[in-house]
Amino acid sequence: MKRILTQGFFPTIILALLFGCSSTPGPAELVKFQSSVGLRKLWSVSVGSAKNYVFHPVVVDESVYAAGARGDVTRIDGNKKKWTIDTKVKLSAGVGSDGKIVVVVGEKGETIALDAETGREHWRVNIHAEVLAPPAVGGGVVVLRTSDHRLFGLETSNGQQRWLYQRNMPPLALRSHSGAIIVDDQVALVGFPGGKLVAVSLEHGGNLWELSVSRPRGANELERVSDVAGVPVLGRSEVCAVTYQGRAACFDTTNGNTLWTRDFSSYAGMDRDTRFAVLVDERDSVQALDVYSGITVWRQDAMPRRRLTRPRIIGDHVVLGDGDGYVHLLGREDGVFAARDRADNHAILADPQPLGNGFVVQSVDGDVVAYELRH
């Protein structure tokens, strides 16, 4: 089963017929190759299983903050735990931090802010809603995206609600663990069902602008599911995003003009730098597009059905995790395999996060693993 869909504000429905779980073949065999870059495992720290959720770690400077479903939140500096706090609630999403506070959310909407330096609890409030995405923290606001696609803006100082943003949703939507990103401590960028990319003011929660990455199309509601996958990604004056059953697109943020679009379907999302937009499609094909034209530069098709994570461009490489616990490095310029290692025996579903001269991943079993690249 690849993903779960939600219907309006009603309980989650599982659509086995849509994805054909019983007849889907297993993951592709790993191809052999000669490594062209050293991949050294620096450390591994357990923070607790994710259970049925996806827990993203967050990196601020050289510190890693991570959590597990049981309720523990941990700060890791180097290969050591600086602190671990038991929140006494079962958690449902990864960690958000601005380097001053660390925010996690419980299964019933309990939102808890801890001091980033000491782990001491600052405040605890309940928004009474399910949150699957890591909080975004910046500009004095904690932004929470709920599973019914509302946005809560809470004061970082005391947890008081500053604003609530909500919009009409299509009948069916992907059950997403992707949240918001905060830009210049002023704006939250969020992708929504129906292919919409929205900028929300951190000050008052108002809609500043809205772009259509794709438009729903099809004969029935299943075919019309066209949700933004992953978080939007920014360039100097561009924003890019990709949808499921829709398109990949980049826009000029100064005027809202479309720079390019491509028909595309992704669950995982995308990343970009000054040259490439790198995406994973629903068949686990990794593609690099020219960031200014959308033309395909390279494609890596050797990992079908491996349940790849969102790709992350880290230095000269593209980093991905997979459903068998492997991390894969592809050359940024050509998509050729550069290195591989098994971080854990359990799936990696969360996005890899840059860390120093390398990256960190978190498995569903709760192992947070840091790697260093050696040329």
Side-chain angles (χ1 to χ4, degrees), residues 165 167 192 194-199 207-213 251 256:
Y165 177 85
R167 56 190 291 119
F192 281 101
K196 300 297 184 182
L197 183 60
V198 179
N207 185 328
L208 299 177
W209 50 257
E210 180 175 308
L211 299 170
S212 293
V213 182
F251 304 90

Side-chain angles (χ1 to χ4, degrees), residues 24-337:
T24 301
E29 294 291 328
L30 295 172
V31 299
K32 296 181 179 180
F33 62 92
Q34 184 69 39
S35 296
S36 60
V37 63
L39 186 58
R40 175 174 173 245
K41 186 180 290 185
L42 294 177
W43 49 259
S44 178
V45 172
S46 179
V47 297
S49 168
K51 301 296 184 182
N52 296 321
Y53 301 105
V54 176
F55 281 82
H56 294 265
V58 65
V59 177
V60 181
D61 297 324
E62 296 296 311
S63 297
V64 179
Y65 303 92
R70 183 179 57 193
D72 287 347
V73 185
T74 298
R75 172 174 170 171
I76 307 165
D77 289 350
N79 61 351
K80 296 181 180 179
K81 294 182 178 181
K82 182 168 184 177
W83 51 256
T84 296
I85 301 298
D86 182 358
T87 62
K88 307 297 184 182
V89 298
K90 294 181 179 179
L91 303 177
S92 62
V95 184
S97 179
D98 61 356
K100 298 177 182 178
I101 66 168
V102 178
V103 184
V104 291
V105 186
E107 289 183 337
K108 298 180 181 179
E110 310 97 323
T111 306
I112 304 161
L114 309 173
D115 184 89
E117 184 63 27
T118 65
R120 180 177 61 87
E121 184 172 318
H122 280 318
W123 49 260
R124 181 180 299 225
V125 299
N126 198 327
I127 65 168
H128 301 286
E130 182 184 49
V131 175
L132 302 175
V137 187
V141 181
V142 177
V143 179
L144 303 174
R145 177 183 182 160
T146 66
S147 61
D148 56 21
H149 306 290
R150 290 178 291 164
L151 295 181
F152 284 81
L154 309 181
E155 301 281 355
T156 56
S157 58
N158 55 20
Q160 181 178 349
Q161 183 176 317
R162 180 185 289 191
W163 48 260
L164 172 65
Y165 177 85
Q166 54 189 339
R167 56 190 291 119
N168 292 329
M169 290 291 123
L172 290 180
L174 293 177
R175 187 169 167 84
S176 173
H177 57 263
S178 297
I181 61 169
I182 290 178
V183 184
D184 297 331
D185 285 341
Q186 296 180 354
V187 176
L189 286 183
V190 193
F192 281 101
K196 300 297 184 182
L197 183 60
V198 179
V200 176
S201 167
L202 291 186
E203 167 117 19
H204 50 71
N207 185 328
L208 299 177
W209 50 257
E210 180 175 308
L211 299 170
S212 293
V213 182
S214 66
R215 300 183 186 278
R217 56 191 180 189
N220 55 57
E221 294 300 339
L222 295 182
E223 293 177 356
R224 291 175 59 82
V225 173
S226 182
D227 299 3
V228 174
V231 293
V233 291
L234 289 171
R236 284 173 294 184
S237 61
E238 311 88 29
V239 60
C240 304
V242 63
T243 68
Y244 170 65
Q245 295 189 147
R247 298 188 305 182
C250 280
F251 304 90
D252 185 335
T253 57
T254 63
N255 54 27
N257 289 342
T258 302
L259 299 176
W260 56 262
T261 65
R262 287 280 303 272
D263 286 343
F264 214 89
S265 181
S266 175
Y267 295 109
M270 69 187 298
D271 199 7
R272 62 156 288 168
D273 62 10
T274 56
R275 292 188 59 193
F276 302 114
V278 182
L279 310 90
V280 174
D281 72 16
E282 61 183 338
R283 296 179 177 84
D284 288 321
S285 173
V286 188
Q287 296 187 44
L289 312 182
D290 181 273
V291 77
Y292 297 108
S293 67
I295 295 173
T296 298
V297 179
W298 55 256
R299 181 194 306 261
Q300 176 55 260
D301 292 324
M303 295 183 284
R305 304 178 304 281
R306 294 205 65 86
R307 294 182 294 157
L308 298 177
T309 65
R310 175 190 168 205
R312 298 303 304 273
I313 302 174
I314 299 175
D316 295 329
H317 297 89
V318 176
V319 179
L320 308 102
D322 78 11
D324 282 342
Y326 286 92
V327 291
H328 306 268
L329 268 67
L330 308 179
R332 168 181 170 269
E333 299 292 326
D334 53 18
V336 172
F337 285 101

Side-chain angles (χ1 to χ4, degrees), residues 1-5 14-22 24 307:
M1 177 66 66
K2 279 198 141 180
R3 286 292 186 272
I4 297 173
L5 285 84
I14 300 176
L15 301 174
L17 292 178
L18 175 62
F19 297 117
C21 297
S22 61
T24 301
R307 294 182 294 157

